[in-house]
Structures are given as structure tokens and as C-alpha cells.
Amino acid sequence: MFDHAAADAAETIRLSGATKTFGGTTALREVSFGLRPGEVLALLGENGAGKSTCVKLLAGVYQPTAGSVVLDGKPVQFASPLDAQHAGIAVMHQHPGLFPDLSVVENVFMGHMRRTALGGLDHAAMAQEAGAVLASIGLQIDVEAKLGRLRTSEQQLVEIARALTRKARVLIMDEPTAALSQREVERLFEVVERLRGQGVAMMFVGHRMDEIFRVADRIAVLRDGHLVGVEPAAALSRDKAISMMVGRELSFLYPQREAEPGEVLLQVEGLTREGEFEGVSFEVRRGEIVGLGGLVGSGRTEIARALFGITRPTAGTIRLAGEARVFHGAGDAMDAGIAYVSEDRLGQSLVMDFSIVDNAALTILDETTTAGFSSPRKVIDMVGPALKRLKLRFKSYEQPVSALSGGNQQKVVLAKWLATKPRLLILDEPTQGIDVQSKAEVHAMVSDLAAQGMAILLVSSEMPELIGMCDRIVVLSEGRQTASFARGAATPEAVLRAATTDHAPVPVMAPTDDPHAGARPAGGSLARLLGRREFGLFVAMLAVVIPVSFINPAMLSRANLTALALDTSLLAIATLAQLLVLITRNIDLSVASTIGLAAYGSALVMTHDPGIGIAAGLAAGCGLGLACGLVNGAIVAFGRVPAIVVTLGTMSVLRGFNSLWAGGRQISADQVPDAWLDFSGARVAGIPLLVVIAAAILIVAALLLRRSETGRNLYALGSNPAGAALIGIPSRRLILLAFGAAGLLAGLAGALWASRYATIDARVAYGYELTVIAAAVVGGVAIRGGAGTVTGILLGGLTLLVIRNGLLLARVDPLWLQGVYGLVILAAIGIDASITHRAETLRKLTRRRT
């Protein structure tokens, strides 16, 4: 067992006189405390007190302006989060730095992936270890599933699993329980006890006082960037801790309410949504606060979303002021006087780059615009009173909402919805992740709104909040209503007992994408096939090939198929270049200009010295492309200029340079050696050499992107740039690598283009960037980054070329060709999007609850 007595004499890590300033603002001033082996230090403070700054200093995200981080008694300088991780420090961040486009197992091991003896990723070992760690904290899921399909609470458990797999000496938990149910919190505390016995030094940042006093050995309190004190948990009362945080005694957290509810405003009867909840009935009166309680996954949020029109119930009725209503969208619900504050304020309630006033205006644009122009003064007049009542801490209304603390962000969300003057206010976890003082302010406002006659439906995971705020509590378990309690009759034990009632869950099918699931419904394999994106592209190609073959049999001739294969090979190489950039959340509009420059340069090399050899021509094209790519990448990565701006500029620059270089001259077939022209037309085992080259490049790229750590880091960077920074992924180097590799591939495509088409001038590949980008998007590459496959871009490019080829063979008038081409592309994307949407709906419907 770990010797706790010896631990008292030593600290694993310490902040020593740490000060951190940002510009002219001091976030932390001369803060000192340490973490001891086998002990949990709780860090308390209001939002904005400096807790997250302390976390980021210890994690290597920030470096102290003054003072130091001391590890094992020696000052250290963490230049990046990666340095801290190598030193044995793991962090579970408040907003999980996870990657929704990657699998669960990749998220667990991102930043510290297991390798085989040959240096590749040991995916089998990682999957086995991830499954075991997740099971130990109560999450039984398919580790190969995409993380984005999990609920928020499940993603938080994945973040916990990632920290555990690092086998760290120091574990920092920043709001780890904010999105967890009571059962999941118990699992986490079991893990904490196990790590305590192993001598891990831990820091727990949280707002829930019950959890703080249960898990902590010592408590450190911050206020306004200063350390108020560090006390043993056993010697510190809750009232004293709150007083240290806010600088005064907080006499109440839940205001007393005496008002009598009015008539029924909302009546829900037998409300059902297949796979989510079933047979739910309750009512909410004017001036009444009704709580929805239950474990995470019990159907609480799903009911709230159905009431707001985000999803549609499959059975039951919703009556508002006695009138049966069917909401076809959130707009209908807003028009009916309903407001919904989502549990996910970052993803669904706020636009983080917008200012306070712009965010506040989102729900009241009709009332605050004149002749199409928004009036900030009107917005402030409408939301200002609520913000003042909530005591929003801000510098100006033009301040970006991302610069506010979590509690102040939530106040902006509340004020935004209150400006709509709703009759029914749905609050989904309104105080999740905010400090005690902000909670009291939110609770006071909610109580006042109820006293003014507003009907309020409160969804909360915090038992004290439900009992302290609600007139009645409706409890759910696994999608079914199990109990209802009036104020005074609800006790924590009774509510928890109802929330954990065992009964047959809402019927759901086993997930079709879970290889470890039990029995599957008949036709499951067919459903998975129909749900694949590639199936939509295949259908689109058949929709062209079959009718055109009847009109013109040349569609399936050997000559036409060979030409199609060669064109597809060139497009696939160019689209692979675009894929590498797009997955990092960037774009390269200069790809066609690079191809044109490389084509002319390689052809020119071959004309100057016909005996130099084919390799020299290819090297010239690749070298020019690599140079162009590195220039783009350097400006984007180190100049921090948006890629669309950079590559739009270099597209024109490269075209202009190529025109000046060519000077109106054309390189024709009789100016280059025959070997150069024969190269692209040669065959290997009857297959065109160009096809073989493209296939080899695509296979190698697919393996590197799927099986190498660098490849997975590229996807992680595009999926969540902020999360990538938190775990030390070298973003700038990866962006430079992506653009450099893209330029190299574009240069190769240009050289092969010159060999295939022989006649080369400055107009080569003019406008080709649109085809390349279209092929990538049709093939499933996400413009937002983080998603896309080599197989997808190959099929995307082939689909476009088959469509174009078919239209030409069908003798469509060239004047109509581009228009018809565009319409067919839209149809292909529509079919593909529809299939993808149905597959995602099926996954959500059939996902098991944990």
C-alpha cells in the first residue's frame, strides 16, 4: 500500500509564486500550492477566479509570467502540453479535448498511441486496453464507433479513460463530473480511490460541494486570481468554503417560493419518441417550476428537444394553453412562446466568435432590425435588464463571448432567451459547470420568473437543485416515467430510487455498427451496406452508365474505359492532395495552378535536354509542386493567415508566373522525347502504368493516414484544433507537412499530365481546382476538417468523370453540358446525403443506453 505519511514530506508537483498575465490583465497572482502523492487537492473558486489558469500552467498549456512550476522539487519549464505529458501529467479538461470524427479507441490513445515492433500503430492492443479501461469506469460501448455518436456524458468518460491510460503520476481533473450521472460519478470516485492507493497526486476542480467534500483531502480556494488559503477538508465547513470563494457569507442558494401556481399552460399526454422515451405525461402550470429528474440517458433532454420542436414525437400530444400543438421546428415552438436553454452552451447555444450583443440578438432579430440592419441599441435594451439582474461580468457588449467565464456565458444564454418573453421556459442543466455565486444568481432569476407567472421546466442532474428549486419533480428511468413528487415529498433517496427503477427499457435494436453486439435484426448486413456513403456514389454512377449505354454503346468500350481510367488516375492524385489539406480544416485553391506550373516546367525540362531521362521530368514537376506547397503551408501555419485567403492569392500568382514563363509559347509533342510521351501510355500486365502509379500512391496514402500516428494526428487536428493543442499535437508542423505533401502530389500530377497530353501551355488545368474540390466533397471529405477517406475521394472523382463522360457520349449540347453536369452532381450529393442521414438516424435510434 502507498505510504501516505511519507507523502506529507514531499510534493510531486507545485505552483510556486505563480503569476500569469494576459496583456494588461492579471489572471493569477503569486499563487502557491502543491499536489502530494496519494492525495486529492480540491481547487475551488468562482468562474473567473483563476482555476483554469492554474490547470493550464500545470498542464504546460501556459507558462508562468512569474514564479515557476516545480516538479519533484526542481523548477521545470513545460514548453508545451506534450512536455507535461512526458513528465507524467495527465489532464481531464472541463470541455473534453476530444475528436468527434475519430473512433473511441483513437480518442483514448490520441497523443500516446501504442506501437508495434515495426513502428506502426498497434490497433488491436489499443482496442483491447481501451475496452478494459472504459469497462472499469462503467462504459460498455463499441470502441471502434465514432466518438461523435456518443452522448456528452459518455464522451466525458472517454476523456477520463484517456487520462487513465497514460498511467500518469499527476492527474488533474477539471470539472470531470459536470456531465455525469450519479452512477457515473460513483464510478469515477472508485477510480480516484484506486489511484490514491497507487500514489498518484491528484487535483479536483469542481463546483458541486457534496463531491468536493467527499473526494478531497485538502481544499485550496482562489478568489479574483489570489490564493485565499489551503485547508484540510476535514477542518473546513461548507459555509466557510463558500465564504472564502465569494468573500462573504452566502445565506441561501435556493430562494424561498410562496406563490401559488396558476392555470395549466403545458400538458403532455402519452408523449413517445421511438428509441428515446415512451408514454410520458405531465403538466406545467403558470408560475410553477417542474423538474425532470433521472440519470443521464433517461430521456430528459430528448423530451425537452421534442417539446421545442427540434425532434418530432412519434406518438402522444402536446397541449399549450389547452390547444393541441404540433411543432415542425424550433421556429414554431418559439412562435408559440417556448424558449429552450440547451445543456450544451458551447455547441448549441452560443457562437463563440460572436460578441455578447451579437449572441444576444440571435433570438430577437425580427424585433431588433430595421430595413435588414440590426440595431445593437435595441438588442441591449431588450437583453440588458436580464444581464444586469444576473450580474454579468464583462468589459463591453462588443466583447467576444469566448472571453467570458463559463458562468457568464450561461448568463448570456439565459438573457438571450428571456428577451423573447416566453410563456414556457425549458432549462436543460442551466447551472452545469458554473460557480456557486452564479448558481445563486441564476436560481434567483428563475424563481422571480416563476413568481411573474412564467411556466418553467427544469432538467437537472443535480439532486439538490431539483429538490431546492422545483414545485414538482417528474422522474424518468430508461425512457419511462417512474414517479412524480410534490415539493416537500421529494427526498434524495426517493428520487434516486425512482431514477434507478429496473424495468424493460424502451425497445431499441442492437446497433448495426457494433461488432460486439448481440443478436441483430434480420437484414442487418444489408442495412449497413445501404448506409455506407460509397453506396450512394455507386448508385449515382449506375444512374448514368445504364441509360447512356443504351443510347451509345461506346460507353462500355475498351477505349472509353481506358481513357476514363487514365483521367480518374490523374484526378485521384490531385484530389488526394486536396484531401490532405482539407482534413486539417484548410483548403488549397491553388492546386490547379500548381498542376499547370508543374506540367509546363516538367515539359520544358524534357525539351531542353531530351536525353536527360524521364525521372528528371518527374522530379522537376514534383520539385515545383513541393515548393508551392511549402510556401502555402508556411504562410498558413506560421503566418496564421486563413488558407482560403493564402491559396486564393497564390492561385493567381502561380497562374501569372506561368503565363510570363511560357510567354505565349506552347510545347508540342514533337518537342519532347518519345519516351516521355510513351511513359503514361505504357502498360504493366495489361494495366496502364498511370493507373498503376495512382493505385500505388493511393494505397500508400491510405495506409499512412489510417495506420500511422502522423496520419491520425492530421485527422485529429482537423476534427478539433483546440483539443489537438491541449494534448500537444504539433499543429503548425502538421499543417506545413499537409501542404507540402499536397504540393508534391499536385506537382507529380502536373508532370504526369504533361506526359499524357503532350501539348502543354500556360492554360493547363485551368479551372481544374473546382473539379478537384468537387471530387473531394462528393467523396465524403468534410470541408470543416477531420473526415474523409482515400476510397471516398477515388469514388468521388470517378463519379464525376463518369457523369461527364456519359453526358458527352449522350451528345448533350455543349451549351447545356456544364448546367446538366452541375445538376447531376447535386443529385449525387443529395442521394448520398439522404443515405447518410438515414444511417445516422438509425444509429441514434438503435444506440443502447448505458
Side-chain angles (χ1 to χ4, degrees):
M1 290 295 292
F2 184 75
D3 187 352
H4 291 275
D8 291 338
E11 294 174 337
T12 304
I13 194 167
R14 179 177 182 80
L15 284 180
S16 180
T19 297
K20 182 63 181 177
T21 60
F22 299 93
T25 303
T26 300
L28 211 65
R29 185 182 297 278
E30 297 182 357
V31 170
S32 300
F33 62 80
L35 308 184
R36 300 169 181 168
E39 187 184 71
V40 178
L41 174 79
L43 187 62
L44 290 181
E46 296 185 77
N47 286 108
K51 302 187 303 298
S52 291
T53 303
C54 289
V55 169
K56 291 178 179 179
L57 287 174
L58 293 170
V61 178
Y62 297 154
Q63 289 73 46
T65 306
S68 61
V69 176
V70 179
L71 184 68
D72 295 328
K74 299 178 181 178
V76 293
Q77 287 280 349
F78 294 142
S80 70
L82 199 58
D83 286 350
Q85 291 162 26
H86 289 161
I89 300 168
V91 183
M92 292 153 47
H93 291 280
Q94 178 178 359
H95 304 296
L98 300 174
F99 309 100
D101 299 294
L102 302 187
S103 68
V104 171
V105 63
E106 287 173 328
N107 272 276
V108 169
F109 285 97
M110 186 58 64
H112 61 292
M113 290 190 167
R114 306 290 188 255
R115 296 178 178 273
T116 64
L118 298 177
L121 297 182
D122 194 343
H123 197 83
M126 289 191 293
Q128 183 176 7
E129 185 176 349
V133 173
L134 288 167
S136 73
I137 56 176
L139 186 58
Q140 299 281 355
I141 56 171
D142 174 18
V143 296
E144 302 295 346
K146 281 190 177 181
L147 181 100
R149 298 174 188 165
L150 304 185
R151 295 188 296 271
T152 302
S153 63
E154 293 171 330
Q155 292 185 20
Q156 185 72 64
L157 292 174
V158 172
E159 174 90 340
I160 293 169
R162 182 165 71 183
L164 295 179
T165 56
R166 288 186 179 277
K167 298 179 173 59
R169 301 169 57 217
V170 176
L171 177 60
I172 300 171
M173 296 169 279
D174 189 0
E175 296 282 3
T177 64
L180 303 186
S181 69
Q182 188 61 41
R183 181 165 49 191
E184 291 162 337
V185 169
E186 293 297 328
R187 290 276 191 173
L188 173 61
F189 286 170
E190 290 175 8
V191 172
V192 169
E193 286 302 316
R194 189 166 71 242
L195 296 177
R196 188 184 259 125
Q198 294 171 5
V200 176
M202 292 173 278
M203 185 168 81
F204 187 98
V205 182
H207 291 299
R208 297 176 178 175
M209 302 302 287
D210 289 344
E211 295 173 358
I212 292 294
F213 279 90
R214 177 176 171 187
V215 76
D217 298 293
R218 291 181 299 135
I219 296 176
V221 181
L222 295 174
R223 184 172 71 241
D224 298 329
H226 296 266
L227 181 68
V228 178
V230 181
E231 301 286 348
L236 192 64
S237 70
R238 300 187 187 200
D239 289 343
K240 178 60 177 175
I242 292 174
S243 176
M244 292 171 69
M245 289 169 57
V246 301
R248 62 192 183 280
E249 294 293 338
L250 194 63
S251 57
F252 59 85
L253 185 58
Y254 305 107
Q256 298 297 316
R257 300 180 57 250
E258 303 295 340
E260 288 293 325
E263 71 273 14
V264 174
L265 177 70
L266 173 70
Q267 189 173 13
V268 175
E269 299 174 348
L271 200 67
T272 298
R273 178 171 167 81
E274 187 179 353
E276 294 182 352
F277 53 85
E278 181 179 325
V280 175
S281 300
F282 61 88
E283 59 184 33
V284 185
R285 297 176 177 272
R286 296 182 187 273
E288 184 180 37
I289 303 175
V290 174
L292 283 184
L295 303 179
V296 172
S298 61
R300 302 166 309 167
T301 294
E302 289 79 1
I303 292 171
R305 289 168 62 84
L307 292 174
F308 193 59
I310 298 173
T311 59
R312 293 282 300 276
T314 52
T317 58
I318 299 172
R319 296 183 185 277
L320 203 62
E323 180 185 354
R325 303 297 296 264
V326 176
F327 301 130
H328 297 284
D332 288 352
M334 291 174 64
D335 291 342
I338 300 176
Y340 172 53
V341 177
S342 166
E343 66 174 337
D344 182 6
R345 66 172 175 265
L346 297 183
Q348 298 178 15
S349 296
L350 293 173
V351 182
M352 301 306 290
D353 294 330
F354 280 18
S355 66
I356 294 171
V357 69
D358 288 339
N359 271 281
L362 292 175
T363 60
I364 50 174
L365 289 175
D366 290 344
E367 296 102 276
T368 58
T369 54
T370 303
F373 293 93
S374 177
S375 168
R377 175 49 52 195
K378 289 183 179 179
V379 175
I380 293 169
D381 288 344
M382 294 185 70
V383 303
L387 291 176
K388 290 178 182 177
R389 174 70 180 82
L390 285 165
K391 301 178 182 177
L392 179 72
R393 300 175 186 175
F394 67 110
K395 295 178 181 178
S396 76
Y397 285 109
E398 297 300 326
Q399 183 180 0
V401 77
S402 59
L404 300 178
S405 65
N408 286 306
Q409 289 174 356
Q410 188 70 330
K411 292 174 185 179
V412 175
V413 175
L414 284 167
K416 175 184 76 172
W417 282 109
L418 292 176
T420 66
K421 297 179 172 58
R423 294 187 291 173
L424 172 65
L425 178 62
I426 303 173
L427 300 172
D428 194 351
E429 302 288 4
T431 62
Q432 178 174 286
I434 67 176
D435 59 78
V436 174
Q437 178 63 40
S438 295
K439 283 185 180 182
E441 292 163 355
V442 169
H443 290 156
M445 169 165 271
V446 171
S447 181
D448 286 349
L449 293 171
Q452 295 167 20
M454 187 179 295
I456 297 172
L457 185 64
L458 174 63
V459 178
S460 179
S461 297
E462 294 194 41
M463 190 74 70
E465 184 170 64
L466 283 174
I467 295 174
M469 288 295 298
C470 298
D471 298 297
R472 287 184 297 111
I473 300 173
V474 176
V475 185
L476 302 166
S477 176
E478 296 183 329
R480 286 199 174 95
Q481 188 173 337
T482 56
S484 180
F485 299 94
R487 177 185 285 272
T491 64
E493 295 78 11
V495 173
L496 187 58
R497 189 180 306 113
T500 55
T501 297
D502 291 328
H503 55 72
V506 176
V508 295
M509 296 178 292
T512 59
D513 58 350
D514 182 359
H516 306 296
R520 303 181 187 275
S525 297
L526 178 60
R528 290 196 302 278
L529 174 62
L530 296 177
R532 292 185 65 85
R533 186 179 191 92
E534 292 83 354
F535 182 77
L537 300 178
F538 182 70
V539 169
M541 284 188 279
L542 287 181
V544 173
V545 171
I546 293 175
V548 172
S549 297
F550 283 105
I551 297 172
N552 189 340
M555 180 77 187
L556 298 178
S557 67
R558 179 184 178 88
N560 187 61
L561 293 178
T562 299
L564 189 61
L566 294 173
D567 289 344
T568 301
S569 298
L570 282 176
L571 180 57
I573 295 172
T575 308
L576 175 60
Q578 194 68 231
L579 167 69
L580 294 176
V581 174
L582 285 173
I583 60 176
T584 65
R585 201 172 284 202
N586 289 289
I587 194 169
D588 186 3
L589 298 178
S590 69
V591 60
S593 300
T594 303
I595 291 173
L597 183 66
Y600 190 82
S602 59
L604 193 63
V605 167
M606 299 308 296
T607 61
H608 281 183
D609 187 355
I612 196 171
I614 295 170
L618 295 175
C622 291
L624 285 169
L626 178 61
C628 294
L630 290 175
V631 169
N632 283 334
I635 298 174
V636 172
F638 299 99
R640 297 177 183 253
V641 182
I644 192 169
V645 175
V646 173
T647 58
L648 185 61
T650 54
M651 176 180 72
S652 299
V653 169
L654 294 178
R655 278 294 178 195
F657 177 78
N658 201 15
S659 296
L660 292 173
W661 192 14
R665 295 186 300 273
Q666 185 182 77
I667 299 175
S668 60
D670 57 2
Q671 295 177 275
V672 296
D674 291 339
W676 176 249
L677 301 178
D678 294 339
F679 174 71
S680 60
R683 291 179 176 269
V684 176
I687 302 173
L689 179 59
L690 184 55
V691 175
V692 173
I693 292 173
I697 291 172
L698 293 178
I699 290 171
V700 171
L703 289 174
L704 290 175
L705 287 173
R706 183 72 184 93
R707 298 296 179 185
S708 74
E709 186 167 7
T710 299
R712 303 321 293 166
N713 284 345
L714 287 170
Y715 281 98
L717 173 61
S719 184
N720 184 356
L726 286 175
I727 63 172
I729 291 177
S731 302
R732 294 183 184 182
R733 292 205 300 269
L734 285 176
I735 290 173
L736 182 63
L737 173 64
F739 272 99
L744 180 65
L745 288 169
L748 176 60
L752 295 174
W753 188 302
S755 173
R756 170 161 163 68
Y757 293 109
T759 302
I760 301 298
D761 58 25
R763 294 172 296 175
V764 166
Y766 190 83
Y768 195 58
E769 63 274 349
L770 298 179
T771 303
V772 171
I773 294 171
V777 173
V778 171
V781 182
I783 293 292
R784 59 170 174 76
T789 65
V790 173
T791 302
I793 63 166
L794 176 61
L795 289 175
L798 181 59
T799 300
L800 296 187
L801 293 180
V802 164
I803 292 169
R804 186 183 68 178
N805 184 252
L807 294 176
L808 290 172
L809 291 174
R811 297 182 177 84
V812 173
D813 190 322
L815 296 176
W816 291 92
L817 183 59
Q818 289 301 317
V820 174
Y821 185 27
L823 289 174
V824 176
I825 291 174
L826 290 175
I829 295 174
I831 293 171
D832 180 45
S834 176
I835 290 172
T836 303
H837 175 71
R838 288 201 306 271
E840 189 63 26
T841 300
L842 179 63
R843 291 188 190 102
K844 290 181 179 178
L845 180 66
T846 60
R847 187 174 59 198
R848 291 186 187 273
R849 292 187 172 88
T850 56

